[in-house]
Amino acid sequence: MDTVQTRPQTPAGEVGTASRLTRRRDVADLVAEARGGGLRRTMGLTQLTLLSVGATLGTGIFVVLGQAVPEAGPAVVISFVLAGITALFSALSYAELAGMIPGAGSSYSYAYATLGELVAWVCGWCLVLEYGVSVAAVAVGWGQYVNELLELTVGWTLPESLAAPPGAGGVLNVPAAAIVVLAMVVLLRGARESALVNTIMVAVKVAALVMFCAVAFTAFRAGNFQPLFPLGMAGVSAGAASLFFSYIGFDAASTAGEEAKNPQRDLPRAILLSLGLITALYCAVAIAAVGAMPWQKFAGTEATLSEVLVRSVGGGNVWPILLSVGAVVATTSVVLAVQYGQTRILFSMARDGLVPPVFAKVHSKTGVPRANTVIVSAFVMVLAARVPLGALADATSIGTLFAFALVNCAVLILRRRNPAAPRSFRVPLAPVTCVLGTLCCGYVMWGLGADTWIAFGLWMVVGFAIYALYGIKHSRLNWPAAPQEETVVWPR
């Protein structure tokens, strides 16, 4: 059994502004808070692993692949590997910190314990970008596959005005908004019910991707990989930057730290298991897709994998229909899992006083932050209905990469400040691994376009304004607290 003694808290209201920005949450306090946070512990290793798979495996491979292949050519497989290595370094850091601080705040809480309140706010604000905006992006991809499925089965599609946002030829993306509402309804029922629905959908989408590989390999042509680098290494880097969106979500298990039955044991395992499964599937699908259809034909595709089967395999609409069904289920699962993660991030931030307390209110019967779920869903619904997929995907990637870089730094800082703290998993070859993780994140961020950097800068300006006007004044660390001597015990 691991026992951690909390430290007495000291009043923070008398410190100056500079000290407020760098004040930190004590690790033992975070562990104690997670132990009695009000959420219900219902998830085991399987549910946690499938939560991360469910949050990751979706639009990235079913839709964004069609945007990355024209950037990298046949070397898109290497782009997947590069993005996967970047994700792996960060996944190792997430695994160590999730086992050490098993709360709902994910990298936001890790930053609070290591880098101080201002950096924690920046990290949390990036997570809002990662989770909230990625849900909207996935919802847009869901609408594309719904239209593809309608065309294949009944020969009819939704009018473009109701199936695409402004800037993409439409007025309002109704399907994208509808799936966000459906996910909200499921989430409001409770974490156990949401995990069950997610497990079923993950099984369906993995089966759909395995089916795609089996069918596409029947039309495989090795010549499609010649030349391997038609656009050079710059193309590989650009492809990796776009495809990193496909890996966003593997950290979703870390947002379920307060709903895991044995968080210190299961969270690190779930994060690494999910990333391994996802990377293997991505590489297999990329090889099968490019092998079946020349890379030049991927430009302009939306329901990319379905079009590969239609153009290259033949055999009628049977395979494309089955794949489209799998894609619809896959993207539904991502919307559900990532929307869940977003609510738990805001739950943790609200408990710390950095966002309004309404986000931390838990319903007594369902154990769900109900108002939080409804507000987040409304925000995501508007984004999904009004913003094109490409802009959403790139904005999500840059916010995620920034948060991942902070997590790698947090491991090194906690190793130095809290060397004796219980750790159920340790990053191998640290600090080298953590430094490489930070550098990889920076390298992939560099491959994103100027428009994405400008949008990220504007997003951060808004975030700093909210923190200055609300967060710093309402921070929980402003509240004088009586000394605590609570003992926190976690099972191994």
Side-chain angles (χ1 to χ4, degrees), residues 165-392:
V171 176
L172 197 68
N173 194 329
V174 174
I179 189 58
V180 174
V181 174
L182 178 62
M184 179 189 72
V185 172
V186 174
L187 290 173
L188 289 174
R189 294 183 61 83
R192 183 192 298 272
E193 293 78 4
S194 300
L196 175 60
V197 172
N198 178 68
T199 298
I200 295 170
M201 290 192 291
V202 167
V204 171
K205 66 183 177 182
V206 170
L209 289 174
V210 171
M211 179 209 75
F212 169 82
C213 291
V215 175
F217 272 120
T218 64
F220 186 87
R221 294 178 178 83
N224 288 349
F225 288 88
Q226 298 295 330
L228 183 59
F229 297 94
L231 301 170
M233 285 306 298
V236 174
S237 299
S242 296
L243 289 172
F244 190 79
F245 177 79
S246 305
Y247 288 93
I248 292 172
F250 74 80
D251 56 321
S254 66
T255 68
E258 294 181 35
E259 289 158 287
K261 295 177 182 178
N262 193 338
Q264 289 191 314
R265 183 195 69 186
D266 292 342
L267 289 178
R269 296 179 182 181
I271 291 170
L272 297 177
L273 281 172
S274 62
L275 184 61
L277 174 61
I278 289 159
T279 302
L281 276 171
Y282 282 172
C283 290
V285 170
I287 292 171
V290 176
M293 189 169 79
W295 69 272
Q296 297 90 340
K297 294 183 179 180
F298 280 77
T301 59
E302 290 184 344
T304 305
L305 300 188
S306 182
E307 292 197 29
V308 169
L309 297 183
V310 170
R311 296 183 185 186
S312 303
V313 176
N317 289 337
V318 175
W319 297 122
I321 288 173
L322 290 176
L323 182 69
S324 294
V325 170
V328 169
V329 173
T331 46
T332 303
S333 172
V334 177
V335 171
L336 178 68
V338 178
Q339 206 162 318
Y340 163 89
Q342 174 68 96
T343 61
R344 271 46 179 186
I345 295 293
L346 287 171
F347 170 83
S348 184
M349 295 176 73
R351 193 167 53 189
D352 289 334
L354 300 186
V355 297
V358 66
F359 290 100
K361 292 181 179 179
V362 177
H363 192 266
S364 58
K365 292 184 178 180
T366 62
V368 171
R370 178 175 289 185
N372 180 342
T373 301
V374 173
I375 294 170
V376 167
S377 300
F379 170 74
V380 171
M381 182 178 65
V382 172
L383 281 181
R386 301 287 295 176
V387 182
L389 174 63
L392 290 170

Side-chain angles (χ1 to χ4, degrees), residues 421-436:
R423 289 170 170 85
S424 57
F425 176 86
R426 297 180 71 89
V427 176
L429 302 178
V432 175
T433 309
C434 300
V435 172
L436 287 174

